[in-house]
């Protein structure tokens, strides 16, 4: 009986040592943390993966994607924030309050629009995007869209705003 217990203890110890030495993630992609996303960001460019630009009429049910370029996204650590549409041309200037979160395991950035008198916990609709890459100076978020029988992406390229 003592030998079985001793063998089981050795096996468990060996598994723990091997587990702690194994590489994490496995995919080789950069893991983005919530703290990497917090701050004020300027949307510099929008590109498209797997979908023609002309087929995208609005972004976030708000305006044409080009209207968002040059706007800022303010993302506080509390989850509150907003994004701005700078206006000009055929675009109306606007500031939209949001409640956001970032999920490290899923590599997602999600937000819901908050209107006057709304509480975030009562808002059931929102947007879930792919948190692609982040550094102290740049952020890339992809908005998935259905195009034909595949998922395509509207890719938002941000740079950190100067304080």
């Amino acid at each position: 009986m003592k030998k079985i217990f001793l063998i089981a203890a050795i096996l468990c110890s060996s598994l723990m040592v091997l587990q702690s030495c194994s590489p994490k993630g496995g995919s080789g992609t950069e893991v983005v943390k919530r703290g990497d996303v917090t701050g004020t960001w300027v949307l510099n460019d929008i590109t498209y993966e797997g979908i023609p630009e002309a087929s995208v009429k609005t972004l976030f049910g708000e305006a044409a994607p080009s209207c968002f370029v040059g706007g800022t996204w303010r993302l506080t650590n509390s989850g509150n924030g907003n994004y701005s549409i700078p206006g000009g041309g055929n675009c109306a200037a606007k500031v939209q309050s949001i409640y956001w979160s970032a999920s490290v395991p899923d590599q997602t950035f999600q937000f819901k629009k908050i209107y006057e008198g709304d509480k975030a916990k009562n808002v059931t609709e929102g947007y879930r995007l792919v948190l692609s890459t982040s550094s102290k100076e740049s952020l890339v978020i992809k908005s998935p869209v259905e195009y034909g029988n595949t998922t395509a992406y509207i890719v938002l390229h941000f740079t950190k705003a100067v304080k």
Side-chain angles (χ1 to χ4, degrees):
M1 187 65 149
K2 286 183 181 181
K3 286 184 181 184
I4 293 174
F5 180 72
L6 182 61
I7 292 171
I10 291 171
L11 284 174
C12 288
S13 298
S14 299
L15 285 174
M16 288 190 327
V17 168
L18 290 174
Q19 183 67 23
S20 67
C21 294
S22 65
K24 304 294 183 226
S27 64
T29 59
E30 176 184 352
V31 175
V32 179
K33 300 177 189 89
R34 178 185 172 89
D36 294 339
V37 180
T38 302
T40 302
W41 299 92
V42 177
L43 181 58
N44 292 321
D45 191 24
I46 296 178
T47 58
Y48 302 86
E49 290 180 5
I51 187 169
E53 179 178 348
S55 64
V56 180
K57 303 298 180 206
T58 62
L59 184 60
F60 309 128
E62 198 82 53
S66 61
C67 292
F68 285 81
V69 175
T72 57
W73 289 57
R74 290 178 180 80
L75 306 172
T76 67
N77 198 37
S78 68
N80 296 308
N82 64 52
Y83 64 79
S84 68
I85 299 174
N90 294 330
C91 306
K94 179 179 183 177
V95 175
Q96 175 63 58
S97 295
I98 62 172
Y99 188 79
W100 71 279
S101 65
S103 173
V104 174
D106 298 336
Q107 293 295 281
T108 59
F109 173 85
Q110 48 203 13
F111 72 92
K112 33 186 166 178
K113 296 179 184 179
I114 307 296
Y115 297 99
E116 187 71 32
D118 282 346
K119 292 186 179 200
K121 68 179 183 177
N122 297 333
V123 177
T124 58
E125 295 181 5
Y127 301 89
R128 182 175 292 217
L129 295 85
V130 177
L131 196 49
S132 184
T133 60
S134 178
S135 70
K136 292 182 189 260
E137 301 301 321
S138 67
L139 174 67
V140 177
I141 300 174
K142 297 179 177 184
S143 178
V145 292
E146 293 300 317
Y147 185 68
N149 293 331
T150 62
T151 300
Y153 296 94
I154 302 168
V155 185
L156 310 173
H157 301 269
F158 297 88
T159 56
K160 193 76 157 197
V162 178
K163 292 184 180 180

